[in-house]
Amino acid sequence: MNNDVSASVAVAGLDLGETFTFDELVSAVQRRRRRRLRIIELVDLGDHDGLCAVWLMTDCEDVVLHAHSDSALHRQQFVLHELAHMILGHNFDDDPEAPDFLLPNIPSKTRRRLLRRQDLDTAEEVIAETLADHLAAAVRGSAMLCSRYLEIFG
């Protein structure tokens, strides 16, 4: 299946319409996953390792950690990419029982997710970025509709 088609189907499944706000998207993802979602900026993230954002799953919630950027749109794109992984159902669970002797104190799900982020050419990363672009366009479209409304109706 084409990446654009997969992204369109995934967005349609959220029942948000063609345009929506960022907050509406976050709420829809929480409803779909039936889990709380926290988004946290970490100023030091990305300074040395180039990591822009990461999605961590705990037993009861999803957490998206993202790097600081002076551009609000850039920060939003970091988060939209991680939301896209959630929407697409990317679990990154290769072998949950495999022991890790180098990082024994880090939960295996977190370890796999972090290590997998180093390979940005995987099918999952490409389609997540494609969907993030679709989501960004929808969020921008919502902002444009709101600003036109204010222009016309004051």
Side-chain angles (χ1 to χ4, degrees):
M1 186 182 325
N2 173 313
N3 283 350
D4 289 332
V5 173
S6 298
S8 297
V9 169
V11 171
L14 294 173
D15 296 324
L16 287 170
E18 291 185 27
T19 61
F20 42 83
T21 67
F22 182 80
D23 290 339
E24 290 169 337
L25 174 62
V26 169
S27 293
V29 170
Q30 287 181 111
R31 278 191 310 274
R32 176 186 272 180
R33 292 182 52 77
R34 294 184 176 127
R35 298 163 59 84
R36 179 177 174 206
L37 170 60
R38 289 191 301 143
I39 301 169
I40 302 168
E41 180 179 292
L42 290 181
V43 177
D44 293 335
L45 188 66
D47 283 351
H48 305 290
D49 54 17
L51 188 65
C52 299
V54 64
W55 162 32
L56 305 174
M57 294 173 277
T58 69
D59 290 336
C60 58
E61 70 180 354
D62 292 310
V63 179
V64 173
L65 304 174
H66 67 88
H68 172 77
S69 173
D70 291 335
S71 165
L73 290 176
H74 199 202
R75 284 190 312 271
Q76 186 178 65
Q77 188 69 17
F78 297 158
V79 176
L80 290 175
H81 180 92
E82 300 308 319
L83 293 178
H85 280 300
M86 292 178 207
I87 294 165
L88 293 164
H90 294 165
N91 288 328
F92 303 103
D93 286 338
D94 295 331
D95 182 6
E97 301 305 316
D100 188 317
F101 300 103
L102 296 175
L103 304 169
N105 297 325
I106 298 176
S108 60
K109 283 184 179 182
T110 303
R111 204 173 43 244
R112 281 191 304 282
R113 178 82 173 114
L114 290 171
L115 294 175
R116 194 136 173 194
R117 291 288 300 172
Q118 301 307 313
D119 186 3
L120 301 178
D121 293 331
T122 65
E124 289 90 357
E125 291 301 321
V126 171
I127 195 169
E129 192 59 27
T130 299
L131 179 52
D133 291 343
H134 286 268
L135 297 171
V139 169
R140 281 192 309 273
S142 176
M144 294 295 283
L145 288 174
C146 288
S147 68
R148 283 191 211 129
Y149 178 85
L150 293 175
E151 284 176 21
I152 296 168
F153 298 105

